[in-house]
Each structure stands twice: as C-alpha cells, then as structure tokens.
Amino acid sequence: MKKAIRTIAILAMIPVLTLCAEDGEKEKEQQVLQALQETADYVADVLINEKGFSRCDYNIPEGKWYDYEPPWHTGQAIYALLEANRITGSKKYLDKAIEAGNWWLTLEIKDHPKLKGMVRSAHGDYAGQTIVFATMSDGSAGLYKLFDVTGDKRYGDVTTAAGDWMLRNMCLLDEGVCYDNVDPETGEVMTENSPFWPDKENQILWDVARPNNEGSLFKDMYEYTGNEEYKAAFITLCNSLVDKQGPEGLWMHFMPNDLESGSVHPRFNLWYAESLIDGYELTGDRRYLDAATLTLEIYTTFQTGSGTIFYQNFVDGSRDRSSICGSAVAFSGILWLRLQEHGVPGFEENIELSLDWILKNRYASDHPDPNLAGAVINTRLRHKKGKLWITQRDVGSTFGVRFLSAYYDYNYGEKSKK
C-alpha cells in the first residue's frame, strides 16, 4: 500500500517537474535573446564608427581606439549584425550592416595599374599598410551575406573581383598555398620576405604563403558566380589543409602559430576548420569533416572548466593566462554547434560552457565607459611602443553575436523545429 502511495505521489509530481523544466528553458531562451540583443546593440551603436567601419581595438588605459585590420573586423561586424537581424527582425541591425558594407565598397582599388580590382585590405598593425590576403578573406563572408539579404550585387562584385585578383596573382595552387602579402605601393606580391618575420633572414615558402582558406572566399565566389574555377580553387585549398594538418589537429607550420615554441593562435586554426566544414557541406567529402573535428577536439582541451579560452595556448597543454579570448570561446562554440548539426557527438558540454561564459562575461550595458558597455570580454595584453597596452578587442562581441544567434537558432529557432 505504501509503495502504491509513493508511486502515485511521484507520478503526481511529474507535471510539476515538467512545468519547472519548461519554465527554466523559457528563462534560458530569454537570457540568450537578451544577451544577443545587448551585444548586437553594442556592435551597431559603438563598434561601427561614423565612417562605417569597425573601431577594432580599444586601449583601456588610454581610452582610445586603434585600427587593426579594419576590412576583416568590419566584415565580421556585418556578418554579426545580419545574424542579429535574422534572429530578432530588427531593421536597425540591417541598416547598420548596409552602412558598414558601403564603407567596405570604398576599399576597391580603381587607379593602380597592377592592383586594379583588388581592395585596400591593409593590416594596420605589425604589417602597416601591407595588403594581406586574410585581412580581405576574413571579412569577405559578411559582404556575400549582405548581398544575400539585400540583393545588391555591389557587395558580391567587389569581393569577387578582389578574390579573382588574388587567385591570379597570389595563389600557388600546385603547392596548395597562396602568398600572404602585397606591397601597396608597387603592387608586387611579396614572395620572399614577410613583414611578419622581420628578424628572420632566410624565409622559405611557408613563411610567406599559407593555405589561405580563411573565410571560404573561393567557395563564396563560386556560389555567387557559378564559376567552376573558383570551386576547384576552394577544394584544392581544402585538400591542402587536410594534407598539412598536424596529428594534433592544428597547422603549426604556419604563422600566427609558432612551431618552435608550440604557441597556438586562438582563432587561426578555427578559421581553417570553418572552411573545412564549408568544404564538407559543399562536396560531402568526409575527410574535411574529420579534419575539422580533430581541430575542434583539441580546442576542448584549451577551454577551461569555467568556459574560458585564453589568447595563447601551447600544444603541451600549458596556457598564458594574461589575455582572455572571448572570440575564441564564441568561434569554437559556433563550430561545435555546426559539427553537432552534422551528427558529430561529444561537444555538447563545451557548447554549454561557451554559452554560460558568454552570458556571464560581458561588460554591463550600463558600464560607466560607453566604449565597453555591452561588449563581450576579449582582452589582449601586449608591450608596444615602450608601454603596456591593455586592449579590449571588437571581435569578442562580433563572434559573440554570431554564436548567440547560432545557439538560439539551433535550440529555439527554425533549426530546432527540424
């Protein structure tokens, strides 16, 4: 009799527990949506300046902004704003993305005999005004997405023309690499010396060229034009990434990784993994998905129990804890979600860690410094020009918006209904 009573009591509790779980999930959904809107507001209201490009790096002690690869930082801001617009429907984000896209169009080079059709993708930091392949390709995806949303072919035309110039002048597809840099004055591709290795006298091919598949530029060009040559170039670089990937899942022979010290850049390998997932979705070649999975597996070891990923990690498992990389937390989360969508198990805990970290590690919307209010924490501690630079970087917020959008979509949006 007592057992029957206990059973009835437990059964009676089930609806209550279900309601509690539903209430908890609803509360979580609202937290994600609120964080998405607050961070997207920061991107729209603070990061995009009056000229239409991202302010990039905020020096906290000085209270000043410094340019750092504006083409790719602005392109990612456009990407983030379009994702926020897709989830929330807010026209504000679309309008700001268009404003930033129109600035991006002004980068087109029209009057240089060798560079006509290319864009002024200047690095702006270590490499000065040097035109950098990845500075363009890391931002180009945002322009193609802006075309998808608006139908304005200017955004696809300018990026495709630049990508075609890069394919003709910078790529050694037989080697599976593309040169990194172009002299902005002469228009000459820098094939022997890279400004990123100022103290290295004897530079080899892999010092001046990489499998520059970041941003999946040639894939986007193919989908925009239907030109099979661009598809072939993208697949060639995907194959190169598979061939040149180390057993740990990284590309340690290429900067900004450092093979000698074992130092791993927080986003560089994720860019390559993202392009490989794109390659898998385009071709169905399982090698690409497996290679991307290997990369994302080592990133689970970079993530701490609190969800943090630091700017500098080492292949031996050690970390430099001086800089916190919110963009790597978010970017990893985006790719863990994409792998999960393709049926790759094992990343559920890390996705939730990334979400919890992004929700907790944002400057308050009423922070007294308006340059920080609402931003996802993404710090970089450096010694530069004889002083200590403590920088808050814009990419924590732009990748943060992308991750929150992807998480919301997967768990509460259209993808959750499939």
Side-chain angles (χ1 to χ4, degrees):
M1 186 66 178
K2 289 182 179 179
K3 184 176 180 181
I5 293 173
R6 283 199 301 270
T7 301
I8 292 170
I10 291 170
L11 290 173
M13 289 174 63
I14 289 175
V16 176
L17 293 172
T18 301
L19 286 173
C20 288
E22 289 177 352
D23 288 345
E25 195 61 31
K26 193 66 178 177
E27 181 181 355
K28 182 179 178 182
E29 178 183 350
Q30 291 305 310
Q31 288 178 333
V32 173
L33 189 59
Q34 180 179 345
L36 168 60
Q37 292 174 318
E38 289 176 353
T39 311
D41 283 342
Y42 173 76
V43 175
D45 298 338
V46 178
L47 287 186
I48 303 298
N49 67 16
E50 63 281 357
K51 294 182 179 179
F53 65 89
S54 179
R55 299 181 191 277
C56 300
D57 283 7
Y58 181 61
N59 186 308
I60 296 175
E62 292 183 348
K64 290 174 59 178
W65 290 93
Y66 288 86
D67 289 352
Y68 193 108
E69 299 190 83
W72 92 252
H73 284 235
T74 304
Q76 281 298 311
I78 293 168
Y79 196 148
L81 289 165
L82 293 174
E83 284 290 275
N85 166 256
R86 181 176 65 84
I87 297 297
T88 69
S90 173
K91 188 172 181 293
K92 165 186 173 178
Y93 303 141
L94 175 58
D95 289 344
K96 189 60 70 168
I98 290 172
E99 182 182 330
N102 290 342
W103 169 82
W104 220 94
L105 295 178
T106 68
L107 300 176
E108 182 183 5
I109 299 173
K110 300 179 179 180
D111 55 1
H112 192 291
K114 288 189 176 181
L115 289 171
K116 187 175 181 180
M118 187 51 183
V119 294
R120 292 186 299 277
S121 48
H123 188 269
D125 193 66
Y126 291 113
Q129 293 304 301
T130 300
I131 292 172
V132 179
F133 192 111
T135 303
M136 185 277 186
S137 65
D138 287 357
S140 60
L143 276 293
Y144 285 107
K145 290 188 178 299
L146 190 55
F147 160 73
D148 289 340
V149 173
T150 65
D152 190 333
K153 289 180 66 66
R154 293 179 302 160
Y155 305 124
D157 287 349
V158 73
T159 41
T160 300
D164 189 81
W165 192 96
M166 292 155 71
L167 180 61
R168 308 292 167 206
N169 294 277
M170 301 180 74
C171 293
L172 299 174
L173 294 181
D174 288 344
E175 301 284 346
V177 296
C178 302
Y179 288 113
D180 287 315
N181 305 304
V182 179
D183 186 310
E185 299 297 328
T186 66
E188 295 293 332
V189 177
M190 302 169 71
T191 61
E192 295 182 358
N193 293 284
S194 169
F196 295 102
W197 303 105
D199 301 322
K200 191 171 184 178
E201 291 186 12
N202 299 314
Q203 297 184 24
I204 62 172
L205 178 62
W206 285 8
D207 293 321
V208 297
R210 301 178 294 177
N212 273 305
N213 217 23
E214 299 175 47
S216 301
L217 171 62
F218 296 130
K219 175 196 75 76
D220 285 340
M221 290 167 60
Y222 162 67
E223 292 178 340
Y224 181 69
T225 65
N227 187 332
E228 293 287 337
E229 184 181 9
Y230 300 148
K231 179 181 180 181
F234 175 66
I235 291 173
T236 294
L237 294 177
C238 286
N239 291 336
S240 180
L241 286 176
V242 172
D243 294 341
K244 294 175 175 59
Q245 185 181 43
E248 72 292 310
L250 307 171
W251 291 269
M252 293 303 299
H253 288 280
F254 301 102
M255 69 90 186
N257 292 337
D258 189 295
L259 180 63
E260 186 174 342
S261 68
S263 172
V264 180
H265 186 273
R267 288 179 308 273
F268 170 63
N269 306 278
L270 295 174
W271 285 111
Y272 281 178
E274 181 182 46
S275 75
L276 286 166
I277 297 173
D278 289 340
Y280 171 71
E281 291 175 352
L282 181 67
T283 68
D285 191 329
R286 183 74 193 193
R287 294 177 305 146
Y288 303 154
L289 191 66
D290 291 344
T293 301
L294 190 59
T295 304
L296 270 299
E297 284 173 348
I298 195 171
Y299 271 77
T300 66
T301 70
F302 295 157
Q303 189 173 44
T304 70
S306 68
T308 305
I309 296 179
F310 295 99
Y311 184 86
Q312 190 173 40
N313 299 276
F314 296 86
V315 290
D316 66 3
S318 59
R319 305 179 177 99
D320 179 343
R321 297 174 180 266
S322 62
S323 298
I324 297 169
C325 197
S327 55
V329 175
F331 201 179
S332 297
I334 292 165
L335 300 186
W336 285 323
L337 275 168
R338 288 186 68 182
L339 289 176
Q340 186 168 266
E341 289 174 10
H342 288 298
V344 180
F347 299 115
E348 295 81 3
E349 181 180 352
N350 297 97
I351 292 168
E352 293 301 320
L353 281 174
S354 287
L355 176 66
D356 186 62
W357 193 95
I358 295 293
L359 293 178
K360 291 178 178 177
N361 289 279
R362 294 176 294 121
Y363 295 94
S365 293
D366 59 353
H367 192 282
D369 187 340
N371 295 289
L372 298 174
V376 173
I377 294 174
N378 197 117
T379 60
R380 180 87 190 277
L381 181 66
R382 293 194 291 171
H383 293 272
K384 184 178 176 183
K385 297 181 180 179
K387 59 183 177 181
L388 188 66
W389 284 50
I390 305 174
T391 304
Q392 163 66 21
R393 310 199 71 199
D394 60 343
V395 288
S397 299
T398 52
F399 278 99
V401 170
R402 282 185 57 190
F403 169 67
L404 290 167
S405 299
Y407 186 94
Y408 186 90
D409 199 20
Y410 185 83
N411 290 279
Y412 310 113
E414 290 303 315
K415 289 183 179 178
S416 69
K417 300 171 186 175
K418 294 180 179 179

